[in-house]
Amino acid sequence: MNATLAKETPAPAAPPPGTERLPPDAVRTGEPFTVLYGPGVGDVFVDATGEVRTMEQALWHMLRAAGFERIVFSTLQDPVYFRDDASWHRSRRPARRTPDTDGRAGPPRMRHAGLRGPLGATRLLRAEPAPGAGRPAAPDAGAARASGMADPFGVMTLTAYLRGTGHRTAVVFPHADEFLLHNQASRQLAQALATWACDGVEGNQWVLVFNRTSLHEVAAFLTGLGRCPGLETFVTERRDEPARGGTHRVGLPGERELERLVHAARLRKGLRVAWRDLDRVVRAMAGQPETARVWRSRLHQLHAKGARLDRETVRPWLGAAAAEERTPWERLAAMPGTEALVRRFEGLRAEMETEAALRARGRPSEGEPPSRHLVFTGNPGTGKTTVARLLGEMYRDAGVLTRGHCVEAGPGDLIAGFVGQTAQRTAAVIDRALDGVLFIDEAYGLSDQREGFGDQAIETLLKRMEDDRGRLVVVVAGYPGKMEEFLDANPGLRSRFPLTNVVPFPDHDPGTLHTILMNRLAQRGMTAGAEVAEELRQIVENLHRTRGATFGNVREMRTLADAVRSRWSVRIGPEVDEPVTGEDIPETYRGHLPRPAPDPAELLAGLDAYVGLAPARAALTALAWRLRMRQARGAGNFDPPHLLFTGPPGTGKTTVARLVGALFRSLGLLRGGHVVEVTRVDLVGEYLGQTAPKVVGACEQAMDGVLFIDEAYSLVADAGGSGAGFGKEAVEALLREMESRRGRLVVVAAGYPADLERLLDSNAGLRSRFTLTVPFPAFSPEDLGEILRRSATADGYVLAPGTEERARRLLEETRRARPTAFGNARDVRRLLEAMEGLKGARWAEGDRGPELLPEDVPEELETGGVRAPSGWPGER
């Protein structure tokens, strides 16, 4: 059996410079192992001389620069091989021949006396170069090859090299995943690694290169392998405590290495370069998650096409980032509605410039640097994602981050469905974001799943934010209220995201949104005249006024612009010089345009079907005429008022409240017009902390409609003393909602006039909120009789002569006997039900006519029942 090794030549005096991604300090840790992993494993590397090297070549130069005198490689194909002559020579022992039985010199002994194998003491010989073959390949030309060596013998050989103290030695597994998985000497290898971890020779190392993007993946692989417990323990401990050393993440190329790659392609391949674009293009290249191998291929493609490297030729790979001439600060300032953000980030830039100036003068700040992690709070479409992308470039330009790319993720990208997977998935996302920004939108989704695995994601995130300080900026974003809940979900979140790092993104005002819309139309090749621009402005204003919690801001404007363009394209076909007109605005959006208030008589005609509502009709008619007058004078609409409905029970307050929603919708004062009916029990909680959420929930249901509170005084009524405090809390919460939802919510409070006065007196802010009082006086006897007649007719009955008069007398007697409990129309309905019951007795005896007779009117109408006249047929 032979082993082909490199020819004896002296080691190079000084190895060529390495690369930033494989620094010698990675193996100067004093640990028995160095574990390499990361997205750059398997990549090519461009050193300071411009040489493009493979991972194995670059690793050899790194180890030599770190002081290793003997570097041994091992793969499944070649269990023992060397990349340089010096390492091979330092692995030989002088041949010592021993006499055979006949006195002749026997075969040379093995290099190490402790090694035994299938060939006994026979020493492996290297093949001599063929005559005229010249010098053997240089270290970077390829590995010397061995053939036929068994895995157990290979493990023994490698272990013996590491145990030697004559030369500082590194044993390298360039493909550790495959080697550990398929090596036929797994027991010997596991024993060697475990023994070495506890009792290794100082200065010597095993170097294992794993094709895994994160240390979590390496640990998971070793755990699943189950063959190397010593190495598994080592990696798991470093995963949990990265500061201990012994591991190194091989990242993607940075600006300096990519610039060297460009120059290598220029000098060796003849690639033409636009010098004025070079810095910007290289910076944009470094912000992409691509390997140097991919960029080398792309540069060669450009050269093959005869193209030069400039902003336009790299646009297919880099998008608009490469063609952008403005700095990220200038792009932020150009975004509509970001004036407050610009001021905030200008302060951040000033702080970073100050720190850089202090370092330049040798006076860096002591202690931990301030937290750079940020919280973006705001509704969708307010620019949070765009600013996060710019933030990475800002931090890169300021020297805080080396790459400045932005990795965008949501809770679903971090949380897995099985135990143990969430931490690994979260770590993998963080690894992709290292040296850049990790932007987590709707981050509250992590805390919302605390019963699942959201807590694991948060814990992993917090740990990596600490372990990778200086290499990672985390930006969490979402709705303001939800983000407060998220920050309260774990004590560590508040310390990582201090209050000063919370950046609000308010909704854009209508003027800004209209500007964004018109810019979008222009960008899509359309022109709009003054008339249609005014219509679009009115639509945007109403969209903004009626916006909900999920209002999309800029996204809404893009959607509107695209909808207009679609209709415009259908109308004009190839005549692209035609301007946008009103007919290009979809009907769903035209519904947001102001429309003249309808004629009050037609609008309130529905009230004519009800008895005794003339005062309510007069008040609402006056409101409708006021709106028409403002429109005629060009003053526009006004916010719908909150109303007080004063009157006893049964006078139509609930009925009119239901009509008010439709009335205000027809007038254009409310977008929805639905009615939500509540009482004290729906708004006041039984325990501390329940009331405000109940009020907010009811107002949310009634958004763009009417919240009708019957018997509203009961909110502050003292129910035995225990509920008064909570009722007061309900009123305060209601006031906040009425103010924050101004123009989007109408509150109607109903009850007796005196009771409502006491309600208004309970809080100074109530009286100014309810600006219109609608009276509902008690019904007259004639009104009560008319209500009875209409109700009977609706049920298919006829009031016989004298029946209505007797019923009116009974209702008046009931009112006088119980004035505060009298239910007006409600008691009329109760009376009709009682009369129907008495008629039922006559029906049983054969009287099948539709008439309700005077004798069907009971003697007394009582709460909870009626008293029938003496001697009525049912008693016989």
Side-chain angles (χ1 to χ4, degrees):
M1 181 172 62
N2 294 327
T4 304
L5 301 175
K7 185 177 179 180
E8 295 186 34
T9 54
T19 67
E20 296 84 355
R21 292 187 284 164
L22 286 174
D25 286 345
V27 290
R28 292 172 179 161
T29 61
E31 297 288 352
F33 304 106
T34 293
V35 172
L36 302 178
Y37 64 94
V41 168
D43 196 9
V44 294
F45 298 81
V46 188
D47 65 22
T49 67
E51 290 291 334
V52 180
R53 306 184 185 281
T54 65
M55 174 71 185
E56 197 169 301
Q57 293 167 349
L59 188 56
W60 181 89
H61 286 293
M62 178 192 77
L63 292 169
R64 182 52 57 88
F68 287 95
E69 301 166 304
R70 177 169 55 184
I71 304 169
V72 190
F73 292 86
S74 180
T75 64
L76 288 175
Q77 181 180 358
D78 302 322
V80 178
Y81 66 93
F82 308 89
R83 294 203 65 91
D84 64 290
D85 296 341
S87 294
W88 180 77
H89 282 291
R90 288 166 180 160
S91 301
R92 298 176 59 192
R93 293 189 63 183
R96 180 170 58 85
R97 295 184 176 271
T98 57
D100 285 340
T101 54
D102 59 0
R104 292 178 298 176
R109 296 290 185 182
M110 297 181 69
R111 290 188 297 274
H112 298 282
L115 294 179
R116 293 292 182 266
L119 302 183
T122 302
R123 178 177 179 275
L124 294 176
L125 299 176
R126 65 182 178 89
E128 295 296 335
R135 294 184 55 79
D140 291 330
R145 293 176 295 172
S147 60
M149 181 181 288
D151 285 347
F153 186 75
V155 172
M156 294 169 60
T157 302
L158 298 174
T159 304
Y161 287 156
L162 283 171
R163 288 293 174 187
T165 58
H167 309 287
R168 189 178 178 202
T169 300
V171 170
V172 183
F173 293 158
H175 310 289
D177 313 65
E178 292 83 355
F179 192 90
L180 296 179
L181 187 61
H182 299 294
N183 188 275
Q184 298 301 309
S186 57
R187 293 181 59 186
Q188 295 95 319
L189 180 60
Q191 181 62 46
L193 293 172
T195 303
W196 183 258
C198 301
D199 184 26
V201 175
E202 183 177 358
N204 294 351
Q205 278 190 9
W206 296 82
V207 180
L208 301 99
V209 183
F210 288 90
N211 189 22
R212 309 280 166 166
T213 58
S214 71
L215 200 57
H216 281 75
E217 292 182 12
V218 176
F221 167 76
L222 293 173
T223 300
L225 185 66
R227 296 181 185 176
C228 303
L231 181 61
E232 177 187 339
T233 299
F234 177 87
V235 172
T236 302
E237 289 176 349
R238 271 64 186 175
R239 177 199 65 189
D240 298 333
E241 301 179 59
R244 293 183 60 178
T247 63
H248 176 72
R249 179 179 182 271
V250 183
L252 296 173
E255 286 186 47
R256 286 185 290 177
E257 186 175 353
L258 289 174
E259 185 174 2
R260 294 196 298 267
L261 181 65
V262 170
H263 288 305
R266 179 179 63 85
L267 295 173
R268 292 177 175 82
K269 298 291 183 179
L271 175 68
R272 294 185 298 122
V273 174
W275 292 101
R276 67 182 185 86
D277 293 346
L278 181 60
D279 289 345
R280 185 177 294 108
V281 168
V282 169
R283 186 176 298 111
M285 289 168 59
Q288 299 296 310
E290 299 290 359
T291 62
R293 189 184 300 276
V294 168
W295 287 120
R296 181 178 63 171
S297 174
R298 289 174 174 176
L299 294 176
H300 290 176
Q301 290 176 33
L302 284 182
H303 171 64
K305 294 177 181 178
R308 70 173 184 171
L309 181 70
D310 58 27
R311 288 180 295 165
E312 292 303 320
T313 56
V314 298
R315 184 187 288 269
W317 304 319
L318 300 175
E324 184 60 65
E325 295 188 4
R326 298 171 299 174
T327 68
W329 307 95
E330 292 169 340
R331 278 177 275 160
L332 176 63
M335 291 174 59
T338 58
E339 294 78 8
L341 287 174
V342 170
R343 290 193 296 271
R344 186 178 187 97
F345 284 109
E346 284 293 346
L348 178 64
R349 176 163 68 171
E351 179 184 341
M352 292 187 293
E353 288 175 347
T354 299
E355 183 62 31
L358 287 171
R359 287 196 303 269
R361 292 173 179 260
R363 295 156 48 197
S365 300
E366 296 182 359
E368 295 182 349
S371 174
R372 304 295 187 195
H373 309 297
L374 300 173
V375 179
F376 287 178
T377 63
N379 287 335
T382 48
K384 300 186 295 295
T385 304
T386 301
V387 173
R389 294 168 183 166
L390 293 175
L391 183 67
E393 296 183 52
M394 294 175 186
Y395 278 148
R396 182 189 61 199
D397 292 348
V400 175
L401 297 172
T402 57
R403 288 187 61 202
H405 63 297
C406 181
V407 173
E408 301 168 27
D413 300 308
L414 306 180
I415 299 175
F418 302 97
V419 175
Q421 288 185 332
T422 293
Q424 183 175 343
R425 179 178 289 188
T426 302
V429 174
I430 294 172
D431 283 334
R432 295 206 317 269
L434 284 176
D435 302 317
V437 171
L438 173 58
F439 177 69
I440 307 175
D441 201 8
E442 298 180 354
Y444 46 80
L446 300 176
S447 55
D448 287 348
Q449 300 187 38
R450 297 183 70 193
E451 297 302 322
F453 303 110
D455 271 349
Q456 296 179 22
I458 292 175
E459 291 293 344
T460 303
L461 181 65
L462 289 172
K463 187 174 188 306
R464 292 295 299 275
M465 289 168 71
E466 186 64 30
D467 294 343
D468 295 304
R469 178 189 295 270
R471 295 194 63 193
L472 177 69
V473 170
V474 177
V475 178
V476 292
Y479 296 112
K482 286 283 194 178
M483 291 308 296
E484 284 295 317
E485 296 175 7
F486 168 71
L487 295 176
D488 289 334
N490 187 301
L493 289 170
R494 287 286 184 187
S495 62
R496 302 304 194 285
F497 299 101
L499 184 61
T500 54
N501 287 27
V502 176
V503 182
F505 284 70
D507 283 344
H508 294 309
D509 61 78
T512 299
L513 291 174
H514 183 246
T515 299
I516 293 170
L517 172 62
M518 300 309 293
N519 289 342
R520 175 73 173 180
L521 293 175
Q523 290 166 2
R524 301 217 61 193
M526 294 174 279
T527 58
E531 183 177 347
V532 73
E534 175 60 21
E535 285 189 335
L536 290 172
R537 183 191 64 78
Q538 294 173 346
I539 290 172
V540 169
E541 286 182 349
N542 200 47
L543 282 170
H544 183 270
R545 186 177 67 85
T546 59
R547 69 193 186 280
T550 59
F551 180 66
N553 287 277
V554 175
R555 298 178 195 172
E556 295 284 354
M557 297 303 101
R558 286 201 301 262
T559 301
L560 173 53
D562 294 345
V564 169
R565 191 179 194 277
S566 178
R567 289 174 64 98
W568 175 74
S569 298
V570 171
R571 181 177 62 84
I572 59 98
E575 303 297 327
V576 293
D577 292 332
E578 285 288 322
V580 174
T581 65
E583 60 184 299
D584 298 324
I585 302 174
E587 290 303 318
T588 53
Y589 287 101
R590 295 197 68 83
H592 287 275
L593 287 170
R595 55 186 181 274
D599 185 277
E602 297 177 6
L603 196 61
L604 299 171
L607 291 178
D608 295 339
Y610 299 94
V611 177
L613 296 182
R617 193 182 195 286
L620 296 176
T621 299
L623 179 67
W625 277 113
R626 176 190 168 203
L627 179 61
R628 291 197 69 177
M629 178 183 68
R630 286 178 60 89
Q631 290 179 342
R633 299 178 59 200
N637 291 356
F638 49 79
D639 288 336
H642 303 294
L643 309 174
L644 291 176
F645 282 6
T646 62
T651 50
K653 297 188 294 296
T654 303
T655 299
V656 175
R658 294 168 183 166
L659 293 174
V660 162
L663 170 67
F664 283 3
R665 183 183 65 241
S666 299
L667 291 172
L669 298 178
L670 284 177
R671 181 74 177 159
H674 61 291
V675 179
V676 176
E677 302 174 25
V678 296
T679 61
R680 174 189 169 93
V681 70
D682 301 303
L683 301 178
V684 180
E686 298 180 4
Y687 305 101
L688 185 65
Q690 288 184 330
T691 297
K694 277 192 166 189
V695 173
V696 172
C699 292
E700 188 66 38
Q701 278 186 282
M703 191 71 161
D704 293 318
V706 174
L707 180 66
F708 178 67
I709 309 173
D710 201 9
E711 299 180 0
Y713 174 71
S714 64
L715 292 180
V716 292
D718 187 354
S722 62
F726 296 147
K728 181 180 178 182
E729 181 186 355
V731 171
E732 293 172 350
L734 181 63
L735 279 171
R736 289 194 297 270
E737 294 302 305
M738 292 167 70
E739 184 62 30
S740 64
R741 302 176 192 269
R742 180 193 298 272
R744 304 286 307 280
L745 173 69
V746 170
V747 176
V748 177
Y752 283 105
D755 288 343
L756 289 180
E757 282 296 318
R758 286 193 290 273
L759 172 66
L760 298 179
D761 290 338
S762 70
N763 189 299
L766 281 175
R767 196 173 295 277
S768 63
R769 299 303 193 284
F770 290 97
T771 57
L772 180 61
T773 299
V774 180
F776 288 79
F779 292 139
S780 67
E782 292 74 19
D783 289 337
L784 296 174
E786 178 66 14
I787 293 171
L788 177 63
R789 184 181 62 78
R790 293 187 184 187
S791 299
T793 300
D795 288 347
Y797 298 113
V798 176
L799 297 182
T803 302
E804 181 179 338
E805 289 77 9
R806 179 167 178 172
R808 282 171 20 195
R809 286 197 302 271
L810 174 61
L811 291 169
E812 278 300 295
E813 290 172 1
T814 303
R815 192 203 313 258
R816 285 194 297 270
R818 302 187 305 275
T820 58
F822 184 67
N824 289 279
R826 298 177 192 172
D827 277 353
V828 172
R829 188 64 194 175
R830 289 176 53 230
L831 173 58
L832 180 60
E833 292 171 357
M835 294 169 66
E836 188 176 37
L838 293 173
K839 178 176 176 54
R842 291 190 294 104
W843 179 277
E845 295 181 354
D847 183 358
R848 303 302 174 90
E851 295 85 7
L852 292 173
L853 304 177
E855 63 192 76
D856 293 329
V857 179
E859 290 185 349
E860 186 175 351
L861 187 63
E862 295 181 345
T863 303
V866 297
R867 181 175 296 175
S870 59
W872 72 297
E875 292 180 344
R876 293 196 294 269

